[in-house]
Amino acid sequence: GMVDMTLKRLGQIRAAGKRFPRVLTIYFAGHDHKMHHVGNDQKISLRWTDTQIKRFQDGIKGWVDPQNFLYALVTDHGHTKTLESRSIVTESDLEDIIENVSSKYDVYDFGQELDFNIYVAQNGGLAHVHVKRDGGSWKSFPKKANLLKIAQACYRRKSPGGTISIVLGRDSEAGKSWSTPYKAYDPAKHDFIELEAFLTKYPQPQWVDPVRRLREMNCIRSGDLILMPNWKLGYTIDSPVVSSHGGIWDSDS
């Protein structure tokens, strides 16, 4: 579909007597979609991508000088192997965890309600949990005590090895900013500790440049809490797939 739309648009540009674009970007979304369902072996999906690139090359023949045309193929991200039976989805697993912490918590059921105070944005390797302040609005910073209760409940989720391996949180109220640096939940202290201290105490050799990347991701749109699934045991915070991404480990990166 992307190649079809690109060639159609280029045909319109050419028919209007305009020159070929100086820079043209095409995103082959099908490659990622395919890998979610066939796994990390890219041979199948890359053959498909090669076919689409050939279609594009054939479509622009006679219009551009192939000796003066540069192709740059770049990756978006990697993939991590998961188990379809170990998907964690908001409507069941995460909703149960969080709402069991307190009767006052109501997790948003997608498309079904307007009155809620917890929103979970799930994305494979991470889930961003937004918490509305007690008696306040979404523009108010949540209380650290409430974040700790949710973090503890998610970390203690009963299963072989735990479905959630690590929970990150930020005390925006104390920092007076939505960009207050993330810290990691330490179950031994029942508190958030500095990422550097956490990584010293609980080494994560598969994480790639975590402190900088989490700092640069941090903004008003990122979660008050970040849940990281136990990817070593095949968990993902997504619909059932055999391969996923969205985390900071080496296979994703």
Side-chain angles (χ1 to χ4, degrees):
M2 179 61 70
V3 173
D4 290 342
M5 289 187 290
T6 301
L7 293 177
K8 180 180 179 180
R9 179 62 180 145
L10 288 175
Q12 294 170 342
I13 292 174
R14 188 177 190 183
K18 299 178 180 179
R19 62 171 173 78
F20 197 89
R22 291 183 182 275
V23 177
L24 177 65
T25 61
I26 304 175
Y27 175 54
F28 295 100
H31 177 61
D32 174 58
H33 180 77
K34 188 83 172 178
M35 286 185 66
H36 279 295
H37 299 283
V38 301
N40 284 358
D41 187 352
Q42 300 193 53
K43 296 184 183 68
I44 298 174
S45 51
L46 281 178
R47 280 199 297 270
W48 173 88
T49 304
D50 287 346
T51 300
Q52 302 310 313
I53 293 174
K54 177 65 162 54
R55 288 186 57 223
F56 172 74
Q57 291 176 317
D58 290 342
I60 63 174
K61 279 182 179 178
W63 189 14
V64 297
D65 177 8
Q67 300 302 315
N68 194 31
F69 196 89
L70 176 66
Y71 288 92
L73 302 180
V74 296
T75 183
D76 183 5
H77 52 73
H79 268 251
T80 294
K81 182 180 179 181
T82 59
L83 297 175
E84 289 183 282
S85 61
R86 292 188 172 179
S87 67
I88 310 168
V89 292
T90 299
E91 292 89 335
S92 55
D93 201 84
L94 292 179
E95 184 175 28
D96 291 342
I97 298 174
I98 296 172
E99 291 188 355
N100 283 337
V101 172
S102 171
S103 59
K104 67 183 179 183
Y105 289 144
D106 182 17
V107 177
Y108 173 70
D109 295 306
F110 290 100
Q112 297 181 24
E113 62 181 333
L114 297 176
D115 186 19
F116 57 93
N117 53 15
I118 304 282
Y119 185 90
V120 182
Q122 59 196 54
N123 184 34
L126 299 176
H128 290 255
V129 181
H130 301 269
V131 182
K132 186 178 180 181
R133 185 180 178 86
D134 294 349
S137 70
W138 286 103
K139 294 182 180 180
S140 304
F141 299 129
K143 296 178 181 178
K144 178 184 177 181
N146 291 341
L147 297 181
L148 283 171
K149 289 177 183 177
I150 297 173
Q152 183 184 56
C154 291
Y155 182 83
R156 288 181 173 178
R157 181 62 170 170
K158 303 297 182 184
S159 71
T163 57
I164 304 297
S165 61
I166 295 170
V167 182
L168 306 177
R170 62 184 181 197
D171 188 358
S172 298
E173 184 176 38
K176 296 182 172 55
S177 170
W178 292 112
S179 294
T180 299
Y182 283 109
K183 296 182 179 182
Y185 178 72
D186 185 348
K189 294 185 175 182
H190 183 51
D191 200 0
F192 297 116
I193 65 174
E194 298 289 342
L195 277 172
E196 292 86 348
F198 179 86
L199 292 172
T200 299
K201 187 174 182 179
Y202 307 100
Q204 305 293 326
Q206 292 86 3
W207 285 14
V208 178
D209 199 10
V211 177
R212 180 187 64 83
R213 294 173 71 190
L214 289 168
R215 182 180 67 245
E216 294 183 357
M217 177 192 71
N218 191 356
C219 66
I220 195 170
R221 296 181 61 210
S222 56
D224 302 304
L225 293 169
I226 295 178
L227 310 181
M228 306 179 72
N230 192 337
W231 68 273
K232 291 182 180 179
L233 294 181
Y235 285 98
T236 179
I237 306 178
D238 204 347
S239 55
V241 290
V242 299
S243 182
S244 192
H245 55 87
I248 58 175
W249 21 88
D250 48 11
S251 48
D252 279 30
S253 304

